[in-house]
Amino acid sequence: MSGALHELSAVELTTAIRRRDVSAREALEAHFDRIDAVNGRINAVITEDRDGAVVLATAADELTASGADLPPLHGLPMTHKDTHNTKGLRTTQGSTIFKDFVPTFDDLIIGRLKSAGVVTTGKTNVPEFAAGSHTFNEVFGTTVNPYDTSRSAGGSSGGVAASIAARIQPLGDGSDMGGSLRVPASFCNVVGYRPSIGVVPSVPTRNAWAWLSRSGLMARDVEDIALGMTAIAGADPAVPYAYPVQGSFGAGLQRDLTGLRIGWSPDFGLGVPVDAEVLRVLENELQVFAHLGAIVEEAAPDLRDADQVFGATRAFDFVLGLGDLVAKHGDAIKPEIRWNVEKGQRLTAQDLVDAALARTRLDTSVRRYFGRYDVFVSPAAQVLPFDAAERYPTSLNGVAFETYLDWMRSACLVSATGLPAVSVPAGFSADGLPVGLQIVMPHGSDVELLQVAYAFEQATAWATRAPELSPASDWERSGPGE
């Protein structure tokens, strides 16, 4: 093999294992060597099972030698997001309440990854109960950005994003309610993909009809996302949503963008504040689509109802999912979660009626928009990676934020539409901080969405720019102050 194993993509590494150019145990050794080399600087991987991983890698090599058909992710070492339950491996949710919890089952996405041949090695850090897009908690401290270890890696899939960017692993699982895949992808120069509903069912769940949060993947390139989706996509009888995807994730990513109609908005048509440097980078990259034959115009869907839809739905989901824990543990849970649960408890029947009507209006406006345009593109994150010692940004461009969610409105607005979205690397600020472009397409257009993202990625090559991890700073990663 030429080149370091930790630099290989998931496609390259699984192909090498399949061809017996490298063994699963060699891939695992390179994975752990990389954790030892860089994790102390970024605090992304917070739980490990080295002995168990060796057993799995050994079994993978035995399967290779047997000549049997091999699953798509055969032998691929992978840590998992700490909000995803992993059978026999500590899953804390980033909370002191569950700091010693070891589940007896796998969440569906984990079970599918394991069935696809993944060698589970450990867990990655998250904000408490995945609330907020900055990864810190009182159990493990703060995960920082591989491109600048004084900055946030985003969240809630921040540990996943940081580990992928730092070349610890090429592919990882995550989840996204208000940007938890897209914001850390933007911050860490990786790809974060939020699927259409029903593509990767969230099982188990207390609410089978929940629609706002999605399970998805992160990777350094779109091709790895497509490979991973061949393993984890598909319907499940435990949820009522049908599998909506048109086409196959394994059918290839090449696509001619000639004539594709793209609407771009720097502020979502709502005056959403976005850092000037983020806009400079993205507006510079829009010409890429034109060079690929697409037609780019400034146009946004009518998103006036999106804030109401997102706010009410998130509050309802929080009180349903975490209300009992907040009632029992109170101040042991961070204030942002308590605020969201309290907001849910204050919802009235009229609030739910108004949210349902707003969601219908929003859906109608989005459908009208996609009658004129094929794609909507926008900033994935409103801000550059911020000081990791902060809990969250409190203002931007002279606009004060009222809540811990307002700075990530660029992602929340799109979540409210329910549409599939991806953040793809789109360049760097003058100070070398990553910037992501958010690409959105109609429900069920997930394969086409990845094809558009792939065309942009191949034309720009920003995804190939690796971080140069500097020595660990003196800042103690104990997390932002209360």
Side-chain angles (χ1 to χ4, degrees), residues 80-85 93 107 109-110 113 124-127 129-133 135 154-161 172-185 192-195 200-203 212-218 232 314 408 411 415 421:
H80 303 299
K81 185 175 181 180
D82 202 30
T83 50
H84 286 154
N85 288 295
Q93 308 278 334
D107 282 354
I109 188 172
I110 302 300
L113 286 168
T124 51
N125 205 18
V126 295
F129 294 112
S133 203
T135 299
S156 63
S157 308
V160 181
D173 55 278
S175 55
D176 185 312
M177 176 180 279
S180 289
L181 283 161
R182 292 161 287 158
V183 172
Y193 162 56
R194 170 188 167 90
V200 186
S202 295
V203 179
L212 190 60
S213 183
R214 309 285 166 83
S215 296
L217 295 174
M218 306 183 85
I232 68 168
R314 180 184 175 92
M408 44 190 282
S415 292

Side-chain angles (χ1 to χ4, degrees), residues 259-397:
L260 194 74
R261 301 165 299 169
I262 298 177
W264 147 260
S265 178
D267 66 355
F268 299 84
L270 300 173
V272 172
V274 179
D275 188 286
E277 186 68 357
V278 171
L279 291 180
R280 182 193 68 78
V281 170
L282 295 181
E283 288 172 347
N284 217 33
E285 294 300 306
L286 290 177
Q287 61 184 327
V288 170
F289 288 115
H291 290 158
L292 292 171
I295 302 163
V296 182
E297 300 175 353
E298 186 167 330
D302 183 351
L303 297 172
R304 286 176 293 178
D305 289 300
D307 289 312
Q308 181 180 5
V309 171
F310 181 82
T313 307
R314 180 184 175 92
F316 179 84
D317 288 352
F318 262 65
V319 74
L320 178 63
L322 296 173
D324 292 345
L325 285 174
V326 168
K328 182 176 181 179
H329 297 282
D331 290 347
I333 296 175
K334 72 179 184 179
E336 292 87 352
I337 294 174
R338 301 199 305 271
W339 168 80
N340 240 134
V341 168
E342 289 164 5
K343 185 177 178 181
Q345 292 168 335
R346 291 195 300 270
L347 288 171
T348 65
Q350 189 60 52
D351 291 330
L352 297 179
V353 168
D354 291 344
L357 293 174
R359 188 181 176 199
T360 300
R361 291 193 300 270
L362 178 62
D363 181 72
T364 299
S365 69
V366 165
R367 289 178 187 275
R368 186 179 299 119
Y369 178 85
F370 283 110
R372 302 194 311 272
Y373 297 95
D374 302 302
V375 182
F376 174 56
V377 299
S378 64
Q382 294 161 245
V383 301
L384 294 167
F386 55 87
D387 187 340
E390 298 178 6
R391 293 183 76 85
Y392 53 87
T394 57
S395 66
L396 177 62
N397 297 349

